[in-house]
Amino acid sequence: MKNRPVTVLLIAVSVAWTAWVFLSGSPDGDWRRFGISNGYDVFLGDYWSLVASMFVHVNAFHLFFNAYWLYILGGYVEEQYGAKFYALLILISGCCASTLELSFAGSTGVGMSGVVYAIFGLLWGGQSFGTHSAAEVLPKDRIRLFLIWLVLCIVMTATGTMAVANGAHVAGLIVGLLAAGALSAPAGAARLAVPAIVLICGIAIFYSPWSYVWLASRAARAQVQKHWDVAQMYYSRMIEQQPTDPWPLKNRGEIRIFLGQETEGQADLSRAEQASHGPRAAR
């Protein structure tokens, strides 16, 4: 315990934060008051949620397993590499996991799973690169367990069985492997690997044109700022991605009518009305 202060603190905060959320009643639709913003608000500036989202878990099982692996694997890393290195790994992997999940799934996700996969990646990479053996905490059967669970989560999400933050898992694993690679090559390009993925994640916060949520945040901001052409462009790209969502249709229609494009605007509003009563309306 004395050699694992960061690990103990992370687990304690996760337990307390998760308990606060669920003892306060159902968080549905009101996560922001607990520090967990939706993807739309994060893209618009709630960047602190990239870190805060790590500490909330969806249920007791989610919390238990993340806390368990954080203590077993994370505590080992803290003892072997030191608290400063470990804390930096947690911060970088947590932010990168949240950012890439946000960029590709439209939300940061919640929980420490991305961080746990970063810790796993560091230890697995260290063994694979021959720089450090962690066989006492990461034997071959545990390596297989983590890799099988990674693939199984992707399958469950793809089949609709259970929604999992796979982007966070993969991002965390990449950060851990890159950190292990950087430690194994003190000189050369490998040392640039972790800064490179941090830069990529930083860019993704401000530019994720494949993300429907990012497009929505840019469209709404442009509309508020009365940049009508820009707003129309983003709404049009949203409509290309999800033609049955009435929200971008309605907003683009109102902008077109305001600009004197009556026929096109009325057509958008008519489509929005039809979509709002359809089976796939998104809002």
Side-chain angles (χ1 to χ4, degrees), residues 65-251:
F65 284 112
N66 276 344
Y68 175 80
W69 290 119
L70 190 64
Y71 187 78
I72 298 298
L73 301 184
Y76 177 84
V77 169
E78 184 174 7
E79 290 178 351
Q80 296 297 317
Y81 292 89
K84 291 182 179 179
F85 172 87
Y86 178 60
L88 185 61
L89 175 68
I90 297 296
L91 180 61
I92 291 175
S93 62
C95 287
C96 287
S98 294
T99 299
L100 292 189
E101 180 68 18
L102 170 66
S103 180
F104 288 98
S107 69
T108 61
V110 292
M112 285 278 181
S113 299
V115 169
V116 169
Y117 264 97
I119 295 167
F120 163 73
L122 175 71
L123 295 177
W124 182 36
Q127 291 188 181
S128 301
F129 303 146
T131 58
H132 186 85
S133 175
E136 61 267 43
V137 293
L138 196 66
K140 290 182 179 179
D141 60 335
R142 283 187 178 173
I143 295 174
R144 287 193 294 268
L145 174 64
F146 270 83
L147 295 177
I148 290 172
W149 181 246
L150 181 71
V151 174
L152 182 60
C153 285
I154 294 173
V155 172
M156 287 191 296
T157 301
T159 58
T161 305
M162 184 172 67
V164 181
N166 297 298
H169 290 180
V170 173
L173 178 60
I174 292 172
V175 169
L177 289 172
L178 290 177
L183 290 173
S184 70
R191 298 191 68 179
L192 300 177
V194 175
I197 193 171
V198 172
L199 178 62
I200 291 171
C201 290
I203 292 173
I205 282 289
F206 302 101
Y207 188 71
S208 292
W210 50 82
S211 168
Y212 191 78
V213 177
W214 182 84
L215 292 173
S217 69
R218 268 34 190 185
R221 185 170 67 179
Q223 187 171 357
V224 169
Q225 295 173 344
K226 299 183 180 180
H227 297 161
W228 308 121
D229 291 340
V230 176
Q232 279 200 78
M233 177 192 70
Y234 284 125
Y235 284 129
S236 296
R237 291 170 67 177
M238 292 177 66
I239 293 166
E240 289 176 4
Q241 285 194 22
Q242 295 190 22
T244 60
D245 186 349
W247 186 70
L249 286 165
K250 180 178 181 294
N251 285 312

Side-chain angles (χ1 to χ4, degrees), residues 26-69:
S26 175
D28 291 347
D30 195 20
W31 283 92
R32 195 170 187 269
R33 71 187 178 99
F34 299 108
I36 314 300
S37 296
N38 60 40
Y40 179 88
D41 288 328
V42 176
F43 276 128
L44 285 178
D46 285 1
Y47 304 129
W48 39 265
S49 190
L50 296 172
V51 176
S53 60
M54 295 189 302
F55 297 105
V56 176
H57 293 72
V58 297
N59 54 49
F61 293 104
H62 187 211
L63 176 62
F64 172 78
F65 284 112
N66 276 344
Y68 175 80
W69 290 119

